[in-house]
Amino acid sequence: MTIDSIGTAAGVVWTALSTSGKLSVKDLKKETKIKTDKVLFAALGWLAKEGKLVFDEDGDDLYVWLA
């Protein structure tokens, strides 16, 4: 995993959320076709650090959408 691959994944995540709105992390992984949790969560961290995401928990599910 490189900074470039994380940045690319962050762009894919942002695009999916801008199209679909609020998604569970499980559904986001399916929609983006990001293969590993490590890359997905690195991308989410990148976008969260930039203030672009909102998170909410519902039971065991974590939901995310654009701020």
Side-chain angles (χ1 to χ4, degrees):
M1 180 168 41
T2 65
I3 291 293
D4 288 338
S5 66
I6 296 168
T8 299
V12 171
V13 167
W14 189 91
T15 299
L17 293 173
S18 71
T19 301
S20 299
K22 185 177 181 178
L23 290 171
S24 69
V25 171
K26 182 179 175 181
D27 290 338
L28 181 60
K29 186 175 178 184
K30 286 179 192 174
E31 184 153 331
T32 60
K33 298 182 173 107
I34 293 175
K35 295 188 190 312
T36 66
D37 288 344
K38 187 187 320 185
V39 173
L40 177 61
F41 282 106
L44 289 173
W46 178 307
L47 293 169
K49 176 71 172 151
E50 292 182 343
K52 294 185 178 179
L53 299 179
V54 178
F55 295 92
D56 187 33
E57 290 183 77
D58 185 10
D60 290 336
D61 294 322
L62 177 63
Y63 290 87
V64 62
W65 63 96
L66 296 179

